[in-house]
Amino acid sequence: MHESVATSGRTRADGLSGSERALREPGIGVVVPYDFALDRELWRWCRPGATLHLTRTPHLPLPVGMAQARAVRAPGAVSQATHDLSTVLPSVVAYGCTSGSFVAGVDGEVALREAIVEAGAPAAVTTSGAAVAALRALGVRRVAVVTPYDESVTDSLGRFLAQAGLEVVGTGHLGLVGEIWTVPEAVTADLVRRTVRAGAEAVFISCTNLRTYDILAPLEAELGIPVLSANQVTLWQALGAVGLTAVGPGQVLLEHQPAVGAEGTISRLDGEGRT
């Protein structure tokens, strides 16, 4: 009896036995800002067989804006949040904040991924990097952008996308400085309709704190172009990084797989996939 237990409980370098490892679902660590309120929406893109582990950056008395975007990407906050997730051994850590990952430009997005990996994550993605990866996967060059932010933060997103080689052909924003999670999806959908311009090959809806799951497929059917959102692209790439697929009926992006090699926007502990 003792011999049988010893054999089945043989441990690996990570301290888990073979049977314990077989029972573990692939874990997706998600670092979100302190005001994030849409945990349930993130889960909707997950199939059985994957699990999310969320943690938040430290609270700050700041309205949504450029200062907040810079604060929630601060190296100390991001490193600590990554360390906080390390005990549950996530297979990848996603930085789930659009503005925090685009406010420092393309180089800043890469640096953010690198910081997460250096803090111990086996792989790292960000919302803004995932948005670029998603648009590339769809062959999109001209994109309309919808945000809940004020004009300055929206303009910063436009500059980031331009640096990434994309052309922003229309923008719409709500001018909000807080409680973005309370915006009804119908309001967001109406803003998408009013923002789309001739020549737009896709729409990107920014902000992980904005509800979008139930409007993406209907808007795509109505407008005839892909409609992507921050939470969608984040889960699409994070799950893809560990060989899984997201679920979202009728969502065009989910018919494609994210790039995982040197051309992708995934950083890994072994150095592969860094851009």
Side-chain angles (χ1 to χ4, degrees):
M1 179 69 172
H2 181 272
E3 181 176 296
S4 174
V5 171
T7 300
S8 63
R10 190 173 297 146
T11 58
R12 295 164 54 114
D14 57 15
L16 295 176
S17 70
S19 58
E20 288 170 334
R21 175 163 287 277
L23 289 172
R24 288 185 68 237
E25 295 176 325
I28 311 298
V30 187
V31 176
V32 292
Y34 57 87
D35 62 347
F36 182 76
L38 300 183
D39 303 51
R40 178 70 185 96
E41 174 161 287
L42 291 184
W43 276 96
R44 297 182 71 184
W45 275 285
C46 291
R47 299 178 185 274
T51 192
L52 301 181
H53 306 294
L54 274 76
T55 192
R56 286 161 171 77
T57 59
H59 177 267
L60 295 167
L62 293 171
V64 174
M66 294 291 282
Q68 186 204 50
R70 295 188 182 101
V72 297
R73 63 165 287 117
V78 173
S79 295
Q80 184 59 57
T82 304
H83 287 306
D84 290 345
L85 290 167
S86 63
T87 300
V88 295
L89 302 175
S91 301
V92 61
V93 171
Y95 179 79
C97 177
T98 326
S99 60
S101 53
F102 68 62
V103 72
V106 168
D107 289 343
E109 189 276 327
V110 175
L112 187 57
R113 284 188 273 126
E114 295 294 316
I116 293 169
V117 169
E118 288 169 7
V125 304
T126 74
T127 298
S128 293
V132 171
L135 292 166
R136 288 175 178 169
L138 293 168
V140 170
R141 289 285 179 249
R142 295 164 58 84
V143 60
V145 171
V146 166
T147 88
Y149 317 129
D150 64 17
E151 186 174 2
S152 64
V153 183
T154 303
D155 288 347
S156 180
L157 173 57
R159 290 191 295 272
F160 170 84
L161 293 174
Q163 288 177 358
L166 298 158
E167 181 182 355
V168 177
V169 296
T171 61
H173 60 88
L174 295 175
L176 301 180
V177 296
E179 297 189 358
I180 290 170
W181 66 90
T182 66
V183 175
E185 287 180 312
V187 171
T188 302
D190 184 58
L191 183 58
V192 169
R193 295 184 185 100
R194 291 187 282 113
T195 302
V196 172
R197 300 287 185 272
E201 299 168 338
V203 181
F204 174 61
I205 306 172
S206 188
C207 190
T208 55
N209 226 4
L210 192 64
R211 298 178 191 276
T212 58
Y213 187 95
D214 289 316
I215 63 174
L216 298 180
L219 281 172
E220 289 180 328
E222 176 184 338
L223 300 175
I225 58 176
V227 180
L228 314 181
S229 76
N231 283 332
Q232 179 204 43
V233 299
T234 303
L235 268 295
W236 169 78
Q237 190 175 52
L239 289 164
V242 296
L244 300 175
T245 57
V247 58
Q251 297 178 19
V252 172
L253 174 63
L254 307 189
E255 299 170 4
H256 301 260
Q257 294 300 309
V260 295
E263 297 304 313
T265 52
I266 302 171
S267 291
R268 298 186 185 276
L269 190 60
D270 58 11
E272 295 182 3
R274 297 186 181 188
T275 61

